[in-house]
Amino acid sequence: MTEVSVLGATGMVGQRFVSLLANHPFFRIAALFASEKRKGLKYGETVNWVLEEDIPESVKNIELRALGEEVPTKIVFSALPASIAGGIEKELAENGHYVFSNASAHRYDEFVPIIVPEVNPGHFEAVKYQNTKGFIITNPNCSTAGIVIPLKAIKDTLGIKKLVVFTMQAVSGAGYPGVPSLGIIDNIIPHIEKEEDKIKTETRKILGDFSGKFEYADFKVEARCNRVPVRNGHTEVLFIETDKKADVSELKEILKNFSALPQKLNLPTAPKNPIIVKDDKFRPQPVLDRNAGKGMAVTVGNIRKADIFDFTLTVLSHNTIRGAAGGSVLNAELFLKDGKLEV
Ligand SMILES: NC(=O)c1ccc[n+]([C@@H]2O[C@H](COP(=O)([O-])OP(=O)(O)OC[C@H]3O[C@@H](n4cnc5c(N)ncnc54)[C@H](OP(=O)(O)O)[C@@H]3O)[C@@H](O)[C@H]2O)c1
């Protein structure tokens, strides 16, 4: 068993980490961190637990640490707000820790990869250029995490010329307590700060290449983001212009048959089928599809030819599992199993 620590363990993403790591076959939680006000308090007594499953027994009595205290493990999962993550993650990497971060603070750094194991495991190579004893690996923001998997399948077979993304994002994406209830019940908020730029940049970085430096994918991306009154699960409508023309049935086959390294290695958090294709035009729906593949599969439906661009389709993924903690745990599994980590 490899011991791990979680920073930001009491937040929306931190709770997912705790839930995914508590009974993990490779990892054992050794330390949990939250803000100064919880220092020394028992996790089970102070956390405002919001997940469906109970708080794992094994973590209830762990005493929370504050930043600045010793981080006792080589592997560290970070679910800190970006404003705080920047400095601490860098310091940890300099001191030899392997940081798997959900925060945006380092995603656009010259040698920090944004990894989705089904899409760009080769980008791990970039950490060799970080010039620190340890490293930082990030995963994408929650709306990018879901779409890059079907986009990878499409890019490799048909090529992508242009992409338009329209999101309907769950409230949990804003953390806890996040958006005030009076702001979101019976409402839609047509802007999420910095989210559109994140989609535009991260999609092209992840689908690009790395050979000594990152070469961003050369297709154009436009995005519009909306917060909707859904608890978990981001729904995104894509319009895609492809290089090679295909019909809807061919596209469905491409998506259904997509499988990648995490599936080949049979990693514990990898879904058997990373993309689930629905023929029902009324799917995907957050309530019905967000937990597909234990929250790690991406569901694609309502696929049709578009009069403008070539295809339009709807993608749904779980924002705190595939879009955050689950994606990060899968990154760590891949690098352990692939023999890239000495821990
Ligand atoms: N929510 C999502 O769907 C999602 C998806 C992808 C990425 N992310 C990213 O993941 C990160 C965490 O997001 P979240 O939604 O889990 O946020 P959150 O619910 O607000 O949780 C933040 C966590 O950070 C801790 N924290 C806050 N200030 C701190 C400080 N000064 N020192 C130490 N710890 C501090 C909090 O501890 P206390 O409880 O003690 O305050 C809490 O554990 C963010 O960078 C976010 O952008 C979120």
Side-chain angles (χ1 to χ4, degrees):
M1 286 293 229
T2 302
E3 297 206 320
V4 300
S5 302
V6 180
L7 313 183
T10 47
M12 292 301 309
V13 176
Q15 293 183 27
R16 285 286 177 202
F17 270 125
V18 168
S19 170
L20 290 167
L21 293 166
N23 296 305
H24 196 283
F26 301 172
F27 303 119
R28 196 187 75 79
I29 296 175
L32 297 174
F33 289 74
S35 67
E36 192 71 33
K37 65 178 184 278
R38 299 187 201 271
K39 184 175 167 172
L41 298 177
K42 286 187 176 156
Y43 186 78
E45 286 170 9
T46 181
V47 67
N48 180 23
W49 189 258
V50 294
L51 303 187
E52 303 83 355
E53 61 270 25
D54 290 340
I55 305 178
E57 281 302 325
S58 57
V59 299
K60 279 187 175 167
N61 290 325
I62 293 181
E63 282 183 13
L64 282 162
R65 302 183 191 206
L67 299 181
E69 287 187 69
E70 191 209 347
V71 178
T73 62
K74 189 126 183 162
I75 293 188
V76 182
F77 292 105
S78 168
L80 290 170
S83 55
I84 293 156
I88 178 83
E89 290 178 357
K90 180 100 180 116
E91 195 182 308
L92 287 169
E94 275 165 0
N95 289 327
H97 295 275
Y98 298 150
V99 181
F100 290 87
S101 174
N102 280 258
S104 60
H106 292 289
R107 282 189 202 136
Y108 317 120
D109 289 5
E110 195 180 2
F111 296 119
V112 174
I114 310 175
I115 293 187
V116 176
E118 281 87 349
V119 179
N120 61 341
H123 286 196
F124 182 67
E125 186 71 14
V127 301
K128 291 184 188 157
Y129 297 76
Q130 285 183 14
N131 217 7
T132 45
K133 279 198 272 171
F135 60 68
I136 302 172
I137 286 184
T138 64
N139 44 307
N141 84 317
C142 40
S143 48
T144 306
I147 60 173
V148 288
I149 299 173
L151 287 172
K152 165 75 174 168
I154 296 170
K155 182 171 178 282
D156 285 355
T157 49
L158 304 177
I160 298 174
K161 259 191 192 152
K162 286 182 195 161
L163 167 70
V164 173
V165 183
F166 174 93
T167 74
M168 291 163 274
Q169 298 181 222
V171 181
S172 60
Y176 193 88
V179 191
S181 55
L182 279 179
I184 195 67
I185 294 171
D186 188 29
N187 204 10
I188 289 172
I189 300 168
H191 181 69
I192 301 173
E193 210 58 63
K194 298 189 183 155
E195 193 80 355
E196 292 164 356
D197 284 340
K198 286 180 184 173
I199 293 176
K200 289 159 81 164
T201 308
E202 294 176 22
T203 301
R204 293 177 52 249
K205 183 167 181 177
I206 295 164
L207 289 167
D209 294 321
F210 182 83
S211 49
K213 63 175 186 155
F214 285 104
E215 304 279 356
Y216 285 52
D218 66 358
F219 56 85
K220 287 198 161 79
V221 184
E222 191 47 86
R224 294 304 308 260
C225 297
N226 303 275
R227 186 77 67 198
V228 297
V230 165
R231 198 177 165 101
N232 289 306
H234 288 352
T235 307
E236 299 172 73
V237 176
L238 309 186
F239 288 84
I240 307 168
E241 187 175 321
T242 52
D243 291 318
K244 208 173 131 197
K245 303 305 161 195
D247 58 31
V248 168
S249 58
E250 283 173 283
L251 179 58
K252 282 186 179 174
E253 284 309 303
I254 288 168
L255 296 172
K256 273 182 198 165
N257 294 331
F258 179 77
S259 187
L261 190 56
Q263 285 69 40
K264 197 171 146 205
L265 294 174
N266 207 12
L267 298 176
T269 305
K272 193 166 168 283
N273 298 306
I275 303 173
I276 294 173
V277 176
K278 293 283 179 195
D279 290 320
D280 180 350
K281 284 181 189 158
F282 292 94
R283 302 284 282 277
Q285 295 179 20
V287 166
L288 301 177
D289 298 306
R290 61 189 164 209
N291 291 324
K294 297 188 177 159
M296 288 298 286
V298 173
T299 306
V300 182
N302 202 6
I303 304 173
R304 64 169 174 80
K305 279 284 201 185
D307 291 339
I308 301 175
F309 291 23
D310 290 300
F311 295 105
T312 177
L313 43 91
T314 306
V315 179
L316 179 97
S317 60
H318 198 301
N319 53 296
T320 63
I321 305 179
R322 170 56 83 169
S328 213
V329 171
L330 188 58
N331 279 343
E333 289 172 5
L334 176 64
F335 298 118
L336 261 188
K337 187 95 176 192
D338 226 14
K340 292 207 170 74
L341 288 180
E342 281 173 35
V343 284

